[in-house]
Amino acid sequence: MAHQIVALIAEYGLLLVFLNVLVEQAGLPLPAVPTLVVAGALAAAGKLPLWGVLLVALAGCLLSDFAWYAAGRRYGAGVMRTLCRISLSPDSCVKQSELRFQRWRGAVLLVAKFVPGLSTVAPPLVGAWGLAPRLFLLFDALGSLLWAGVAVALGYAFSGEVERVLAAFEGTGALALQLLGAMLALYILFKWWQRRRLLVALRMARIEVDELAQALRSARPPLVFDVRAAGSRELDDRAIPGALAFDPPALDAVLAGVPHERELVLYCNCPNEVSAARAAQLLMAQGYRRVRPLRGGLQAWVAAGHLVGRLPALPRGATPAL
């Protein structure tokens, strides 16, 4: 079987490399690094052109990444919510990407493909943030060549070891492919189980948007926090009127003088209110018991037709009106 695999990749190698890279960068869980390593080993044996492997890998990355980038430029935060919704690691994929982009800006594309979960999220994120197309293509091309080059170089340098690994599959026939398929299925199942466990752990009473709207008109309205990442707030600066940005480092100052019996409401724009539920757990650990995430988050509030405002600039150390 090893010879069959080598012959297959040798004959259709460039096409297989291109397709594998393309679908992985599109977001499917089909890792391209093993294919690139094998292609590098075949290049060392003279069965594939080295520069051809790198060029088709670059083409696969740019085609898929630019499609995500264009979607991010056109649809902004909506694309990020969609990615977060379909991700096996909800919410954190987008939030961590926003934090990295705020620190590195377009240069995040140089390392994005080396960071799990960041590779697919980075192109639409930089598009939504308005990175110029020429800068996107420059950074993405350099990052893609670096990523593909490392994998191909490993296969090239250790071509003998790669041949021995392939030879280990000799005689296993379809069993080896079934084993690899089973391992991939188990990985996806494990990530799904992690997601479900997180949602169960964060399950708590939610407040409905109409209930919140009525409470905000009462004599003792709840204190509302926007727990979206700073990047999300810049992409979509709408907010529930009177809401405050949830900033954990400044939380003690913001909550100074707020009694523990005060009702607190938190909202985000992530699926299942994951960020809001996590923030609620943090507040409950500090003694606040009347803490509820807003069901549906900001999108549900807007969809219900309620008034929308902008987050106030709260000076550091200042406290909100109680």
Side-chain angles (χ1 to χ4, degrees), residues 24-278:
E24 185 196 25
Q25 298 309 309
L28 296 180
L30 296 174
V33 169
T35 302
L36 291 170
V37 170
V38 172
L42 292 176
K47 298 178 180 178
L48 282 179
L50 180 61
W51 286 107
V53 173
L54 292 174
L55 286 177
V56 297
L58 175 62
C61 288
L62 289 179
L63 280 176
S64 184
D65 291 350
F66 192 81
W68 279 119
Y69 165 80
R73 280 184 68 89
R74 179 167 183 176
Y75 299 108
V79 173
M80 307 310 298
R81 287 192 297 271
T82 300
L83 275 174
C84 191
R85 187 173 292 109
I86 65 177
S87 171
L88 291 174
S89 301
D91 180 55
S92 59
C93 62
V94 174
K95 179 166 289 189
Q96 294 304 316
S97 301
E98 287 172 347
L99 294 176
R100 290 186 177 97
F101 181 76
Q102 289 171 11
R103 185 178 305 166
W104 299 335
R105 296 289 165 172
V108 72
L109 295 168
L110 296 175
V111 298
K113 289 178 171 44
F114 294 95
V115 182
L118 182 59
S119 180
T120 303
V121 175
L125 177 65
V126 298
W129 276 75
L131 183 69
R134 66 180 185 279
L135 291 179
F136 169 78
L137 290 173
L138 173 64
F139 285 123
D140 195 58
L142 291 175
S144 298
L145 280 176
L146 180 62
W147 169 75
V150 169
V152 171
L154 287 174
Y156 194 96
F158 298 98
S159 57
E161 286 75 5
V162 173
E163 287 284 353
R164 283 192 287 273
V165 170
L166 291 176
F169 287 98
E170 191 72 44
T172 59
L175 179 62
L177 295 178
Q178 292 172 359
L179 179 60
L180 291 175
M183 292 175 62
L184 178 61
L186 286 174
Y187 170 77
I188 295 175
L189 182 62
F190 174 71
K191 296 298 292 184
W192 175 85
W193 175 77
Q194 279 188 320
R195 173 176 178 152
R196 295 305 305 170
R197 188 179 64 171
L198 170 65
L199 295 179
V200 169
L202 296 178
R203 188 172 294 159
M204 60 183 65
R206 264 64 168 170
I207 185 172
E208 304 294 335
V209 291
D210 291 337
E211 183 183 356
L212 174 60
Q214 183 177 357
L216 289 175
R217 294 191 294 267
S218 67
R220 187 68 168 169
L223 196 59
V224 181
F225 285 100
D226 186 319
V227 303
R228 293 175 296 167
S232 287
R233 294 197 295 267
E234 286 194 38
L235 289 176
D236 183 357
D237 63 352
R238 297 174 301 174
I240 294 176
L244 300 170
F246 188 83
D247 182 15
L251 197 57
D252 289 341
V254 173
L255 291 175
V258 177
H260 283 174
E261 62 271 14
R262 180 74 179 272
E263 183 177 14
L264 308 180
V265 174
L266 307 100
Y267 69 87
C268 59
N269 60 353
C270 51
N272 304 293
E273 304 85 49
V274 174
S275 289
R278 281 176 166 159

